[in-house]
Amino acid sequence: MTSERLPWIAHDPASLRLLELAEKVAGAPTTLLITGESGTGKDHLARLIHELGPRRDAPYLKIDCASLPPQLVESELFGHERGAFTGAVERKLGRFELGGNGTIVLDEVATLSPNAQSKLLRILQERAFERLGGTETLKIAARIIALTNVDLPAAVQAGSFREDLYFRLNVLTLTVPPLRERPADILPLAEHLLVGLRAAHGRPHAQLSDSARRMLAAYAWPGNVRELKNALERALVFSGVGRGAAGTGPDLLEPGNFPESVRAAAAGRASPVAGLRSLEEVEREVIAATLEATHYQISRSAEILGISRKTLLEKRKRYGLK
Ligand SMILES: Nc1ncnc2c1ncn2[C@@H]1O[C@H](COP(=O)(O)OP(=O)(O)O)[C@@H](O)[C@H]1O
Ligand SMILES: [Mg+2]
């Protein structure tokens, strides 16, 4: 028995095409690269590809490259034998071994240190490795899927990502388009996300009002599906204030329950003149929206916006943002 398939909401032609590609590549053992902005659904797509393919009953293992301590990369990935180094008191299996015949996902692959990049390159070339301190050569049977929100060719140009590793990873590449490029997905995704949120918040009858639906459909969602999910959760919490457990009347999520950024953008669009703005105004608005959506987490916001923390801090100051 296989588990129930992961729901992949796709209504827009752009995401239907992506789903079709995902079905095609699911059966292949080939290394896969999934690119796309933060929050577009890269993790979600990797999982779907695993479930659609012949490896669905084998392990699915995600390695968060950004949080892997550089000095532990080798022992984490390859494992080690007892006594391989001080503190190696027993044999430990690495992720490549634990992945078995399944799928290994390298999340945020562009954050690997140069040293880790060369180790990964060797693994991809040889499809074999030894545990630290070990002599036995182990074959890699798992399929490798790398995820990134970084423009890898640009990172190669800038010298922060190895070109030979990029070529190894870039055999089959899928790009998840940002939500603003597949607007027909916005409302179906909102409805889908609401199902889970209703249950989590004990609000079985919560629904979007018509004007809230129009507003969500008009917004550009710089933080993509993740921002949509956060905005819905916030609306659910705020619309519940004062309702009490026995709340009377329909449980509607109204535009006023959504973050200011979402409301402001939709209001701006209602007037044709307000739509004509300078690039600076647009930038200010997008930065403000992202900061609010991430609860003013600078690193997260910088990641979503695709700029460095330093640039974000400078712009925040220049635009006088909170
Ligand atoms: N097509 C989709 N259908 C259903 N849920 C989705 C879809 N795309 C993204 N999600 C949900 O949106 C959130 C963000 O997706 P995630 O895969 O973590 O994005 P990324 O890895 O690109 O930052 C997750 O909760 C995910 O389950
Ligand atoms: Mg992710």
Side-chain angles (χ1 to χ4, degrees):
M1 262 312 278
T2 51
S3 57
E4 201 178 305
R5 205 181 104 175
L6 191 72
W8 174 264
I9 307 299
H11 285 245
D12 199 278
S15 46
L16 287 168
R17 267 198 303 280
L18 183 64
L19 183 59
E20 216 173 276
L21 287 174
E23 280 163 355
K24 281 194 187 136
V25 304
T30 321
T31 300
L32 181 65
L33 178 65
I34 301 181
T35 65
E37 291 176 12
S38 270
T40 47
K42 296 181 295 297
D43 280 72
H44 199 79
L45 183 65
R47 177 95 216 183
L48 177 77
I49 288 170
H50 173 76
E51 290 186 7
L52 287 174
R55 299 166 186 270
R56 65 180 72 88
D57 295 320
Y60 174 87
L61 242 168
K62 198 170 98 172
I63 301 171
D64 181 6
C65 299
S67 66
L68 209 55
Q71 67 281 16
L72 290 183
V73 168
E74 281 184 288
S75 84
E76 281 294 321
L77 298 185
F78 311 149
H80 58 72
E81 296 292 349
R82 183 174 165 195
F85 49 85
T86 320
V89 289
E90 55 187 31
R91 169 189 276 181
K92 182 183 163 217
L93 303 187
R95 313 282 184 97
F96 281 108
E97 199 168 346
L98 293 168
N101 280 318
T103 303
I104 293 176
V105 173
L106 300 166
D107 198 6
E108 306 289 0
V109 74
T111 61
L112 286 175
S113 67
N115 184 34
Q117 287 181 31
S118 51
K119 282 168 191 151
L120 178 60
L121 176 68
R122 216 205 76 197
I123 294 187
L124 294 177
Q125 280 166 341
E126 298 172 10
R127 300 217 48 103
F129 65 99
E130 289 98 40
R131 295 187 201 110
L132 291 185
T135 49
E136 192 187 349
T137 299
L138 304 160
K139 285 257 163 244
I140 291 186
R143 180 190 207 174
I144 294 173
I145 303 185
L147 313 182
T148 187
N149 63 355
V150 164
D151 177 355
L152 285 184
V156 167
Q157 279 293 317
S160 62
F161 201 77
R162 288 184 69 121
E163 184 171 42
D164 41 13
L165 179 56
Y166 171 60
F167 288 138
R168 279 280 161 185
L169 293 175
N170 189 28
V171 184
L172 280 178
T173 300
L174 295 184
T175 300
V176 188
L179 202 45
R180 63 185 170 279
E181 287 175 17
R182 43 182 169 116
D185 283 348
I186 297 174
L187 291 176
L189 271 169
E191 290 298 346
H192 166 74
L193 296 167
L194 259 182
V195 173
L197 290 169
R198 276 188 199 111
H201 289 262
R203 296 271 294 281
H205 305 297
Q207 276 191 53
L208 292 164
S209 73
D210 286 343
S211 47
R213 294 169 65 84
R214 277 195 298 276
M215 180 190 69
L216 297 189
Y219 182 57
W221 300 107
N224 297 297
V225 188
R226 187 169 301 121
E227 185 189 1
L228 175 60
K229 193 174 178 181
N230 291 345
L232 287 167
E233 181 151 20
R234 182 198 134 116
L236 209 52
V237 170
F238 280 82
S239 65
V241 175
R243 270 184 70 79
T248 49
D251 187 356
L252 283 181
L253 308 184
E254 297 287 359
N257 304 131
F258 282 83
E260 170 59 28
S261 46
V262 179
R263 274 183 285 152
R269 247 166 246 208
S271 147
V273 182
L276 301 173
R277 291 169 302 163
S278 73
L279 205 50
E280 287 217 320
E281 282 174 287
V282 174
E283 184 175 81
R284 182 183 190 282
E285 194 172 284
V286 171
I287 292 176
T290 310
L291 284 168
E292 183 175 339
T294 63
H295 302 288
Y296 303 91
Q297 290 179 52
I298 300 298
S299 298
R300 286 279 307 123
S301 300
E303 186 191 323
I304 292 171
L305 292 162
I307 57 179
S308 69
R309 277 178 55 95
K310 186 163 165 280
T311 308
L312 175 58
L313 290 170
E314 281 164 11
K315 289 186 189 287
R316 187 180 67 166
K317 193 165 162 215
R318 166 144 50 94
Y319 293 133
L321 294 167
K322 171 158 141 190

